[in-house]
């Protein structure tokens, strides 16, 4: 970018270099070289930081166990209450058994999202590799759980008993397709939203190289950054609530 | 250089992701060479968070919340107890007040009755005394009056006898006195 600016601000737009996707590259954190499965990459570092953040918030923040909570403990309790209530409301009492699992998903996604908003950071949740694993884990867990808990009655999920008999086979096909599309939409929604926001910020940052446009560019970056804060939370929330909904289907397959 | 960039960007814009994905950096999300690495570290991170949450954080926070709930409900129960006690005390106080007031009224009534009876007795006594006194006085007056008449009579008899004697008449006392008596009656 620096070369472009020194070359002259008179250059037209096409002369600007946009690399909005460079920020998503997975590179070794220490030194150069290839990326093997065990390499400590930037992705690994930021996931580790997410673990550290979760630990700091939920363990260090609550270490005093005070009846009148401190600020950190208050936030931790808020997160706990938020997900606990969500699981209880959607899945019912028996869903609370899976509360730690759902809380893990939520805390990982929300901290990874927010850490990703730090400039020059890396956002693990912008990668399909991550979200696909998360979504597939939910999908497989829910499907296996559904069959274990309900046996073949779980297939009742696809057999809409309240619909007219003639429509049921058609609905069953639709239900089946929508069931298998779940992990796809579940994962692409999260990664897509996070990636798009970060890429758009980068594009606006690219425009900042033109002196005339740069104030507008800065304003736009600020605005989108605000939006991204919202998206970071909402996408974590959406992912979690959908997990709860799928879990409810596994526990109570009847429509 | 400038034209190079223009054509490169134009191409990228026109064909979008497809071209970029073909490039090495393209869309890093679709660079499957890094998937293994990310998945490995992701699973590690998730396991770490899961153990942190299920072993330490969640039981602790749940415990704190339950404890707080317990404390709050205990406090509320204690407050309700105190409230009941306060209202009991208030009722007792009110009752005591009512009793005291009734007692006071009774004492006042008693005192009033006593005073009234004393007063009545005193008035009766005074009346009797007054009646006795006035009877006595009347008697005295009557005596005085009678005494006065007797004196007047005596004086009149004496005067009449003297007058008769002075006029040269000889009058025995008995006649004069009879005459005076008859005159005085008349």
């Amino acid at each position: 970018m620096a070369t472009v600016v020194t070359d002259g601000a008179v250059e037209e737009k096409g002369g600007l270099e946009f690399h909005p996707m460079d920020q998503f590259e997975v590179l070794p954190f220490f030194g150069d070289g290839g990326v093997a499965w065990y390499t400590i990459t930037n992705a690994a570092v930021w996931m580790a930081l997410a673990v550290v953040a979760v630990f700091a918030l939920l363990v260090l923040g609550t270490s005093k166990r005070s009846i009148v909570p401190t600020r950190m403990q208050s936030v931790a309790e808020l997160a706990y209450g938020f997900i606990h209530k969500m699981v209880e409301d959607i899945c019912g009492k028996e869903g609370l058994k899976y509360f730690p699992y759902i809380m893990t998903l939520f805390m990982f996604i929300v901290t990874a999202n927010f850490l990703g908003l730090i400039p020059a950071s890396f956002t693990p949740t912008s990668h399909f590799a991550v979200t696909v694993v998360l979504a597939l884990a939910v999908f497989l867990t829910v499907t296996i759980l559904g069959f274990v808990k309900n046996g073949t009655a779980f297939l009742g999920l696809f057999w809409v008993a309240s619909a007219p008999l003639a429509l049921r086979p058609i609905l069953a096909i639709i239900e089946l397709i929508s069931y298998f599309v779940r992990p796809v939409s579940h994962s692409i929604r999260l990664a897509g939203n996070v990636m798009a926001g970060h890429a758009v910020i980068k594009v606006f940052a690219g425009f900042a190289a033109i002196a005339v446009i740069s104030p507008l560019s800065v304003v736009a970056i600020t605005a989108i950054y605000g939006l991204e804060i919202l998206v970071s939370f909402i996408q974590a929330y959406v992912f979690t609530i959908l997990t709860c909904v799928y879990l409810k289907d596994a526990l109570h397959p009847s429509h | 250089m400038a034209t190079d960039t223009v054509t490169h960007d134009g191409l990228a814009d026109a064909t979008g992701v497809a071209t970029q994905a073909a490039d090495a950096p393209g869309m890093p999300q679709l660079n499957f060479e890094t998937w293994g690495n990310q998945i490995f570290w992701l699973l590690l991170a998730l396991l770490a968070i899961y153990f942190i949450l299920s072993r330490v954080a969640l039981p602790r926070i749940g415990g704190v919340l339950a404890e707080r709930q317990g404390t709050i409900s205990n406090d509320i129960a204690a407050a309700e107890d105190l409230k009941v006690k306060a209202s009991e005390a208030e009722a007792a106080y009110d009752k005591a007040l009512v009793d005291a007031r009734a007692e006071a009224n009774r004492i006042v009534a008693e005192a009033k009755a006593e005073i009234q009876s004393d007063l009545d007795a005193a008035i009766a006594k005074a009346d009797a005394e007054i009646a006795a006194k006035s009877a006595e006085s009347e008697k005295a007056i009557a005596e005085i009056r009678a005494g006065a008449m007797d004196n007047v009579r005596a004086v009149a008899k004496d005067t009449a006898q003297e007058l008769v004697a002075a006029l040269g008449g000889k009058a025995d006392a008995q006649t004069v006195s009879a005459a005076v008596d008859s005159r005085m009656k008349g």
Side-chain angles (χ1 to χ4, degrees), chain A residues 17-203:
Chain A
E17 290 183 41
F18 292 109
H19 298 291
M21 304 309 275
D22 282 5
Q23 58 178 321
F24 302 120
E25 271 181 77
V26 178
L27 299 167
F29 195 73
F30 302 105
D32 293 322
V35 175
W37 62 268
Y38 53 83
T39 314
I40 299 176
T41 54
N42 45 1
V45 168
W46 285 95
M47 284 186 219
L49 283 177
V51 176
V52 170
V54 170
F55 183 80
L57 175 67
L58 294 184
V59 176
L60 301 183
T62 60
S63 56
K64 282 195 221 151
R65 306 162 192 252
S66 30
I67 292 295
V68 179
T70 55
R71 260 179 276 178
M72 279 285 266
Q73 192 184 326
S74 202
V75 173
E77 284 171 10
L78 211 66
Y80 180 99
F82 180 62
I83 303 300
H84 195 268
K85 188 170 182 302
M86 188 196 289
V87 174
E88 192 173 8
D89 285 353
I90 297 175
C91 309
K93 287 274 181 209
E94 60 269 53
L96 285 180
K97 208 162 55 171
Y98 311 99
F99 167 58
Y101 177 66
I102 290 168
M103 186 77 177
T104 302
L105 290 178
F106 177 76
M107 288 314 294
F108 175 74
I109 295 170
V110 85
T111 46
N113 281 354
F114 275 109
L115 287 174
L117 285 178
I118 298 171
S121 69
F122 179 88
T123 320
T125 42
S126 68
H127 272 264
F128 295 128
V130 169
T131 57
V132 163
V133 169
L134 292 175
L136 270 181
V138 170
F139 179 78
L140 291 177
T141 313
V142 162
T143 308
I144 293 168
L145 199 68
F147 279 113
V148 169
K149 285 255 168 192
N150 308 290
T152 48
F154 182 59
L155 293 172
L157 185 64
F158 307 107
W159 197 250
V160 188
S162 56
L165 190 60
L167 276 178
R168 280 182 209 171
I170 302 165
L171 284 176
I173 293 169
I174 294 172
E175 289 283 336
L176 204 65
I177 293 171
S178 81
Y179 188 81
F180 282 101
V181 168
R182 275 177 180 184
V184 178
S185 61
H186 206 185
S187 58
I188 290 181
R189 182 184 302 110
L190 175 59
N193 272 290
V194 175
M195 176 176 65
H198 284 240
V200 166
I201 287 180
K202 208 71 173 181
V203 168

